[in-house]
Amino acid sequence: KVWMRHRYRSCLNRLQELLVHSSFEVKELALSTLMKFVQLEGAHPLEKPKWDGYYLFPRQLFKAVVEGLLSLEDDCSLLLARFREYLEHDDIRYHTMQAATDTVGRVTDRHPEVPLTFWNNAFTLLSSVSLPSQERGISSFYVKHGELPRTWKVVHLKEHRKAFQGMWLGFLKHKLPLSLCKKVLVVLHDSILPHLAQPSLMIDFLTRAYDVGGAISLLALNGLFILIHQHNLEYPDFYRKLYGLLDPSVFHVKYRARFFHLADLFLSSSHLPAYLVAAFAKRLSRLALTAPPEALLMVLPFICNLLRRHPACRVLVHRPLGSELDADPYDPEEEDPAKSQALESSLWELQALQRHYHPEVSQAASVINQALSVPEVSIAPLLELTAFDVFERDLKKKGQGSVPLEFIPAQGLLGRQDDFCAQHFTLS
Amino acid sequence: MGKAKSAAARTRGAGAPAGAQGGRARPNPNPFEVKVNRQKFPVLGRKARHAVGQPGVSRARAVHKRTQTLLKEYKERDKSNVFTDKRFGEYSSTMSPEEKMMKRFALEQQRQHEKKSIYNLNEDEELTHYGQSLADIEKHNDIVDSDSDTEERGTLSAELTAAHFGGGGGLLHKKTPQQQGEEGEKPRSRRELIEELIAKSKQEKRERQAQREGALELTEKLDQDWKEIQTLLTHRTPNSENRDKKERPKPDAYDMMVRELGFEMKAQPSNRMKSEEELAKEEQERLQQLEAARLRRMRGEDEGSEARKPKHLSADDLNDGFVLDKDDRRLLSYTDGKMSIEEEQSREASDGESEEEQGEDLSEEDPENSSDPDGHSDLESDMDSEEDCGRPNGEPRQALGKGTTSIGHRAQEAARNQLPYTFAAPESYEELKSLLSGRTREEQLVVVERIQTCNHPSLAVGNKAKLEKLFGFLLEYIGDLATDDPPNLRVIDKLVVQLYNLCQMFPDSASDSIKFVLRDAMHEMEGAIEARGRAAFPGLDVLVYLKIAGMLFPTSDLWHPVVTPALVCMSQLLTKCPILSLQDVVKGLFVCCVFLDYVSLSRRFIPELVNFLLGILYIASPNKCGRGYTLVHPFRASGKNSELLVVSDKEDKATWQRRGLSLHWAYGLKAQNKTEANHTRLSCLAVCLALVKGCAQFYSSLPSFYAIVRPLRALLMEHLAGCSHPPELQELCQSALANLEEPEPRCRPLVCAKSKPEPLKLFTPRLVKVLEFGRKQGSSKEEQERRRLIHKHKREFKGAVREIRRDNQFLARMQLSETLERDAERKRKVKQLFNSLATQEGEWKALKRKKFKK
């Protein structure tokens, strides 16, 4: 019997080594064999249960499997995709979470420089864990058992949540590479935060991410907002930081729609002080001077909505008794919206944009020429607008009558002599 | 007379009060029968429908109607046999009485015919009128006969009638003495008489028939003769001409001439030939009109609204009276531009003109420019000075161009002579390509020209479609030329003129094809952006298309079906395509130039352009401190391409000379050595600086000009601070910076346009269309209609119930009267019986008493 045990052990060791084999088929087979062993060992434990109903799961074996999956060298995303099937079972999921927490902790302790592949693998594994939303959902087990005593931790969603939270917090407390940070933030708000036992514990990570700047700050906004909104988080200088986030790249990043959706949410409160809203409006319109047309079509109604929501800010577009100024009193370098003197300024930028080359933009900017209408314009349909959409819309629009033609005859490819092209380019 | 009539009517009315029709037609009814429904108060405009009623009359009418219908039914309630009138069409209301009669007669004839015709050998049944066949009458054959016939027939019919209706001897005696004699001899029986009559009439009939047949034959013959003559008559004219021709096979040349002259259009008096000045003036007026239309489109007004309200404010109007000034200014500057263009044309046309003339031209232009009231003049003069400084480079280029053109002319002549004169319009792109490939530039040009002339739409019907297709093919060909290795830009240069001509002919299809190529390019880019988040700069063909679109269509319109998408496309190019190589820089700068040319008249604001120029300046800046500006998307503050345009070689800087960038760089021309690459870098920077300057001039009137150019200014300062550029570039930097630092116009706070004051509520009555009096108003039309129908239904229902009740009453009355009648009858009968019995009894008693007495 002892000999059998030894053979079994060595067989398991061989299989674990095979998990890092070069061929994917071998890896996959090794994984499925190991999982089969996990199942069998769970059903027929090597040791006798100490008392009746004692829950036995081959933790050691399973931990070794997870460790094999979270390889330091190879990218195991394919294998992890295969492993995802096992995660459907509640007990496997629970133990995976525990094992992953252990493994991450051990690896980071042991290595001062953790390679990127490990982080990627870990993230793939962690993000593929999805908890059920209801207690009743916990009923499918990989290792079959006769009866389910209530004392088992596996059958309680609360325990699952705890394990889940432990896993993520253990993962996120380390200094993650930026690309991974982005990935985490993208899924944070809808697949991680709702399942945490105590979401406010994420504040450390979010604050750190928010302070990084750039796109990561934008993404961290979403999580922060959920914490502030639903979990009563007090976050000092939130608006100041949001104001600091506004720089010209806002209109060019991939997450533009998300950012403006959130910004719209944050600024929707009518209890915000006028100076703050005015600073935002002024800043946005200043940035609009560098924005492409599709972003302008979104941000101009956004600014107008701000002015509509806060009648005190209407002085930005309507100041009948103001005297002429030498320069714009607004200070774009100032980081504190309170000191930016936006309320004393006017939105001359929108006036400039009325001369934008795209007719729709100039039309949108001309709204401020009249007194603003009362109902707000919904910017939801404009958030996802791309330049290609604008282009297609322009192409499809039909003018009445025939197409107007240039009446000065063309003379050559570079045009007339006073054209810029002809001045600066030659054909040969 | 009228009085008498009315009196008569009244008497009649009084006499017959229950007459059904009498009541309605009577104008002046019996005052005792009139019931007046008094109105409580008169309402103006209300039509009283039941003001006056005649209850008696209407009751009588109703009773009459019931006796006619209901009573009849009632009386016949137990009867099962029915009287049916089986005459044809008796109950059909659709037939008129005449029709009925006709049909009945036809049926009658049919019936008789069926029965008798088997034995009727000699005669066909024919319709007669006064005994004469109807067919004959229709033919109007023998009118002369008919007269005599009628006499005869009249007598005959008289005889017949006499015989038939038993006229007897008396009548006949009187009428015909001959017969009287005969009768006198032998008194025949009536039967004999009739038989004789019949025989006689038959004989006569036969005679008449023979006569008629003869006449018929004669007329037919006559008809035939006439027909022959008629054919002769009708064929006569052509025949005669034929004969003429036979006589004169060759007409005189003189005659021919005379005829032709006769038919020729007389020379119409026409307008006199216009002199040169007049023509020029007309042309100028035309151009001015076109320019005015262009300006209108630029401000986004359409013609209709322009005509209606000339004070219309466009979307990009600044509400500061800006437009009015601009109007004059534009027109003026435009005329200058036009004149210079014309001069250029003439200059190009006449090769032999010397350069002194050009100088004169320029000097002529200068005073005009300085007479411009606005800041435009300094722009022009700047350009002039720019030209001046670029003169050493420009001149050889022009000279070169002239040389090539003169050579080109000779080559063109040769090509003209060699090529065939007609070309079929190509049906496919391959066809066009095979036509053009392998030929020289001049030959290609001539081929395209000849295809156009051979297939001018006025020559044949299908040519329009062919030429429309040709435009698309040419465009495709140009794209191919631009992507060739090396790009054949000279040919494109010439083909553009052809494209312009074709586009003038078919604007719609041309715009469609350009839209198509733009959509293709954008689609490709969109795919790349979705896949990788960025896209590479497209090939030279897309840039060439963009440039061509700007030349074919007016770029200053507020909205244009081709130009607006092209603008969006260029904006995409400038924002989505990262700069990875020198080639990308050249392409980007070319797009910038095209972009600026697009807005050169309308002076519209392009944020992307400013961003791009900022990025180019950044990658050309050797020492960056990164303060006061932020780079946006296609450029990165750090990275391997962040110093793409930096030139550190002192020698190269010293040897660099400013000249135009070659478009071949955009294709991917590889620099021969490092020096050339460095020179190109410096040229790029020069172009960029010039564009910055152009932007500064264009946008200096924008309200937030200072905020727009702030980053540019910061970077230029850095460039200047380095002092590492060649002196020429330094100068350019300086002047651009000077342009950027124009004194900022004072900031006037924004003020909304005053909205119209809301009018106070007035107490004028609200006018509502009244559909029906006495109904509730104010609901929707459907609701009113529904209510009207409900009301009508209710009334009809009530009316029907009333009618039924009255019917029942009437019937009950009738039954009662019947019963009463029956009872009275019975009483009468019983009384009679009793009477008779009493008489009997009396008699019997009397007899008995008598007996008893005896």
Side-chain angles (χ1 to χ4, degrees), chain B residues 11 107 400 561 661 700 732:
Chain B
T11 48
L107 282 173
L400 192 80
L661 265 174
S700 57
L732 205 54

Short mmCIF file of all heavy atoms in Angstrom, two decimals, chain B residues 11 107 400 561 661 700 732:
data_model
loop_
_atom_site.label_atom_id
_atom_site.label_comp_id
_atom_site.label_asym_id
_atom_site.label_seq_id
_atom_site.Cartn_x
_atom_site.Cartn_y
_atom_site.Cartn_z
N THR B 11 -108.12 76.46 -53.11
CA THR B 11 -109.39 75.73 -53.06
C THR B 11 -109.13 74.24 -53.17
O THR B 11 -109.74 73.43 -52.47
CB THR B 11 -110.35 76.17 -54.19
OG1 THR B 11 -109.59 76.16 -55.41
CG2 THR B 11 -110.92 77.53 -53.93
N LEU B 107 -89.83 39.76 -78.22
CA LEU B 107 -90.22 38.44 -77.72
C LEU B 107 -91.44 37.92 -78.48
O LEU B 107 -91.49 36.74 -78.85
CB LEU B 107 -90.53 38.53 -76.24
CG LEU B 107 -89.29 38.57 -75.34
CD1 LEU B 107 -89.71 38.83 -73.91
CD2 LEU B 107 -88.56 37.24 -75.44
N LEU B 400 12.20 75.87 -66.06
CA LEU B 400 12.14 74.45 -66.37
C LEU B 400 10.77 74.09 -66.94
O LEU B 400 10.62 73.44 -67.97
CB LEU B 400 12.39 73.65 -65.09
CG LEU B 400 12.64 72.16 -65.28
CD1 LEU B 400 14.07 71.94 -65.71
CD2 LEU B 400 12.35 71.42 -63.98
N PRO B 561 -21.94 68.12 -50.30
CA PRO B 561 -22.00 66.66 -50.24
C PRO B 561 -20.65 65.97 -50.41
O PRO B 561 -20.49 64.84 -49.96
CB PRO B 561 -22.96 66.29 -51.37
CG PRO B 561 -23.18 67.51 -52.14
CD PRO B 561 -22.89 68.67 -51.27
N LEU B 661 8.96 70.97 -51.30
CA LEU B 661 9.08 69.54 -51.03
C LEU B 661 8.57 68.76 -52.23
O LEU B 661 7.56 69.13 -52.83
CB LEU B 661 8.22 69.18 -49.82
CG LEU B 661 8.89 69.16 -48.46
CD1 LEU B 661 7.84 68.93 -47.41
CD2 LEU B 661 9.92 68.07 -48.41
N SER B 700 -6.41 84.83 -36.90
CA SER B 700 -6.16 85.94 -35.99
C SER B 700 -7.44 86.64 -35.60
O SER B 700 -7.48 87.36 -34.60
CB SER B 700 -5.20 86.93 -36.64
OG SER B 700 -5.75 87.36 -37.84
N LEU B 732 12.18 82.58 -40.49
CA LEU B 732 10.81 82.10 -40.65
C LEU B 732 10.14 81.95 -39.29
O LEU B 732 8.98 82.34 -39.09
CB LEU B 732 10.86 80.76 -41.38
CG LEU B 732 9.62 80.36 -42.17
CD1 LEU B 732 9.22 81.44 -43.15
CD2 LEU B 732 9.88 79.07 -42.89
#
